[in-house]
Amino acid sequence: MLTTLRLIDFRCFENLSLEFSECGGIFVGDNAQGKTSILEAICALVRLQSPRAKTMRPLVRFESSSLGIAGECWERDLTLRYGRGNAQLQIDGETIETQNLYLQQSGLIVWMGNEDVDLIRGSGGGRRHYLDFICSQLDAGYRRALSRYRRALKARNMLLKDRVTSDAELNAYAEVLIENGDYLTKVRGEILLLLEPLASSAQQQISGKGEQLQLEYQSGGTGNMREALAATAEAERRQRQTLAGPHRDDIRITINSMAAADFASEGQQRTIALALKLAQGSAIQSVAGRVPVYLLDDIFGELDPDRRNALMEYLPKHAQKFITTTNVDWLHGEWTDWDRYEVNDGAVKRLLAES
């Protein structure tokens, strides 16, 4: 798993070096002290993206112009350097030219945070991001198809906003959307079919009730991508934007056949969010044959004792887990033996595990 982590000019950390056991670790401290940034650094090193920022630039410490993250993960030395808009990647000291090659050799991640409740009551963009993060870890071609689709979509929408639009240019970008959009839809649909029974099982175990959680893939168009673009061509001209495609996909989430966003209680919505992320971990392990690392960012304070204990029991015993929390009063059983790290104003002090 992850045995070391080294940071230079990352968020509030000028320099930080940590070692981890195979279990993981628990980071304890008040809010806004740097706990979440450590988990964010792990995610950035392993998956080249942050759950809190759209680009790498906000991760650079305020006083600096570049950052560095390194660590020994899955018996490989990974290094990420970022500055002036460019990322440099290395594995075992060898420069890796593309992000896809790096990600194929890095590792797998499940991030769980308080913001996950927005998967139920937020916009479709959050649910698409949820699918994208899973699919990019399970399908080697997904990330490239997503990047090409987004670039073509942006360019095509700019053309549609022009008063005089070239049909030839629109059609050229449409072909890129068709090729990559159909691929995205296929992978998303397959992954959601895998996720639904896993999420339903997790929902029942954590809630302790016979609640039926259902996930339905809602395509952003009718038929395949070519048919969808043809059906919306006239409306596109009027509204000056691409109206069909994976950028409008969504997941319909229901609990006992009722829309979870409208009818689920606060506790049920948080349980559903946990179930979706636990299903992600189970799906990754099932398809990739490898256990992901779990990053749990201060989620336990929002859970009642029953849900908290059920989650702890549901998490895979043999998975490495990194947890942030403001206090450890709720810890019991095997968790009390874990290494703890006290985080205070960007300084991290390792506390020996209790015997």
Side-chain angles (χ1 to χ4, degrees), residues 159-349:
L159 284 174
L160 284 167
K161 293 184 189 305
D162 289 342
R163 292 288 182 183
V164 180
T165 303
S166 164
D167 287 339
E169 286 184 291
L170 281 177
N171 292 336
Y173 284 118
E175 289 301 320
V176 180
L177 294 181
I178 290 166
E179 177 186 356
N180 295 284
D182 285 338
Y183 186 88
L184 297 177
T185 298
K186 175 178 177 294
V187 177
R188 284 178 178 177
E190 291 173 349
I191 293 300
L192 196 63
L193 286 175
L194 175 62
L195 287 169
E196 185 182 36
L198 298 172
S200 180
S201 175
Q203 173 73 21
Q204 293 188 28
Q205 185 158 335
I206 296 172
S207 67
K209 302 174 183 177
E211 298 174 341
Q212 296 298 316
L213 175 62
Q214 294 175 304
L215 309 177
E216 179 186 349
Y217 181 54
Q218 295 185 316
S219 175
T222 57
N224 60 36
M225 190 71 195
R226 189 178 299 279
E227 293 169 345
L229 288 175
T232 58
E234 290 187 16
E236 282 185 346
R237 294 283 189 175
R238 293 194 303 270
Q239 299 186 37
R240 298 183 182 179
Q241 60 179 318
T242 305
L243 298 176
H247 62 288
R248 289 181 170 247
D249 283 356
D250 207 340
I251 306 173
R252 184 170 185 265
I253 303 174
T254 60
I255 188 78
N256 297 330
S257 300
M258 296 185 293
D262 299 323
F263 297 101
S265 67
E266 175 78 15
Q268 283 178 314
Q269 289 186 0
R270 292 200 174 277
T271 303
I272 294 169
L274 293 174
L276 290 173
K277 289 304 184 75
L278 291 170
Q280 174 184 334
S282 298
I284 287 174
Q285 185 173 346
S286 173
V287 175
R290 292 186 289 160
V291 182
V293 167
Y294 287 77
L295 306 176
L296 295 87
D297 184 33
D298 207 17
I299 63 174
F300 295 98
E302 300 295 331
L303 302 176
D304 60 52
D306 289 340
R307 284 184 170 87
R308 184 187 301 155
N309 293 333
L311 171 60
M312 300 289 271
E313 289 298 320
Y314 199 93
L315 288 167
K317 300 294 183 185
H318 51 295
Q320 193 177 35
K321 311 171 192 74
F322 295 94
I323 298 170
T324 66
T325 182
T326 54
N327 67 80
V328 293
D329 297 341
W330 52 271
L331 282 175
H332 64 87
E334 65 175 284
W335 304 86
T336 59
D337 297 331
W338 282 33
D339 286 338
R340 301 179 192 176
Y341 303 81
E342 184 179 77
V343 185
N344 183 30
D345 195 22
V348 182
K349 177 182 178 182

Side-chain angles (χ1 to χ4, degrees), residues 10 40-50 56 59 69 80:
F10 183 93
E40 183 183 27
I42 295 173
C43 191
L45 177 65
V46 175
R47 297 308 307 171
L48 300 181
Q49 67 182 94
S50 161
M56 287 285 178
L59 311 186
I69 316 172
L80 162 64

Side-chain angles (χ1 to χ4, degrees), residues 112-140:
M112 303 174 72
N114 275 328
E115 69 280 359
D116 290 341
V117 72
D118 288 336
L119 290 172
I120 291 83
R121 58 196 185 200
S123 67
R127 290 181 286 277
R128 287 191 294 274
H129 179 74
Y130 165 75
L131 278 179
D132 289 339
F133 191 68
I134 301 172
C135 293
S136 64
Q137 295 192 75
L138 296 181
D139 186 282

